[in-house]
Amino acid sequence: MLGGAGAVMCAMMAIGAVWTSVGPVGAAAGIGPADGVFTVSRCYATETNRRCEGSFAPADGTEHRNGVELGSPREPYTGGEQVEVRLAEATAYERSAVTVAFTIALALLLAGLYGATAAWLGKSARRGRFAGLGLYAAVMAVTSSAALSLLLVTGLLDWLLT
């Protein structure tokens, strides 16, 4: 029974990893017209990323919003600068191939790991004992390698070009 419940949970995690990346990928890819303009209040560096906080003025003229975050800014912006953005959830994104590649790589990594685990647990539950890991480990290795290669190439290109 635990194998079947674990398989369902892992499958849901794999679907969730892909589902939650769709909005940021579309926004960072620049799909559709810009939602509005982000005005930078301040930017700061974290251990793994750069962040900017500011306000958002929708292109349709509706209510201006404060306290919006710019996801993965391309530049270390200074206060007062404006950036054309698209929204995904409550985060603003500027066009960025690097953000698209990193988000896709992370979704691929998580979906591969959770998906292969779900398939293995499902097969184990049907058999009533743990199945061999052979094919499932290969799927995990291939998706992990593909995701990490995409991250490495994108990071290297970003470092070289900026």
Side-chain angles (χ1 to χ4, degrees), residues 3-19 110-111 113-122:
V8 170
M9 191 166 87
C10 284
M12 290 172 57
M13 295 291 284
I15 293 166
V18 174
W19 182 259
L110 293 173
L113 293 174
Y114 284 124
T117 302
W120 175 70
L121 287 172

Side-chain angles (χ1 to χ4, degrees), residues 22-51:
V22 171
V25 166
I31 296 174
D35 292 325
V37 175
F38 178 84
T39 303
V40 177
S41 296
R42 72 180 189 104
C43 289
Y44 56 93
T46 66
E47 290 179 14
T48 59
N49 205 347
R50 210 174 17 237
R51 293 279 183 219

Side-chain angles (χ1 to χ4, degrees), residues 77-101:
Y77 295 112
T78 58
E81 287 188 82
Q82 294 187 327
V83 183
E84 188 175 83
V85 296
R86 286 155 187 81
L87 293 180
E89 301 294 324
T91 303
Y93 291 91
E94 60 186 322
R95 284 182 72 127
S96 172
V98 172
T99 301
V100 169

Side-chain angles (χ1 to χ4, degrees), residues 3 7 115-125 129-134 136 140:
T117 302
W120 175 70
L121 287 172
K123 184 173 185 178
S124 296
R129 59 182 169 80
F130 286 113
L133 276 175
Y136 307 105
M140 287 181 194

